[in-house]
Amino acid sequence: MSDWADAIKDCDEEKFHSAAYKESDAPWSSVFANINIHNAYHIGQIVEIRKAQGVWDSKNGVN
């Protein structure tokens, strides 16, 4: 995830507004947002599973 965050930080601002697909005007910012939502969903799943197993340490910030 750190590499992903660094890649987004280092990305040229113009890239966010350019078309992500040849056949659509959808911008890269939309693609990046969808990837981030997807990752957040799965991170939530991991936390929920670890909590259900009793192996989640609440010191990690999620009670």
Side-chain angles (χ1 to χ4, degrees):
M1 293 302 293
S2 296
D3 290 343
W4 172 250
D6 290 341
I8 295 298
K9 287 177 194 173
D10 295 341
C11 188
D12 183 18
E13 184 74 25
E14 291 179 23
K15 181 71 167 181
F16 289 101
H17 305 290
S18 65
Y21 308 101
K22 292 180 184 178
E23 59 279 336
S24 172
D25 290 334
W28 275 105
S29 58
S30 175
V31 174
F32 294 150
N34 286 335
I35 292 170
N36 286 332
I37 290 168
H38 178 86
N39 287 342
Y41 178 83
H42 288 299
I43 290 167
Q45 286 181 315
I46 292 166
V47 171
E48 187 65 28
I49 291 167
R50 288 183 180 177
K51 286 173 74 175
Q53 292 174 337
V55 295
W56 182 256
D57 186 353
S58 63
K59 294 177 188 171
N60 292 325
V62 179
N63 298 319

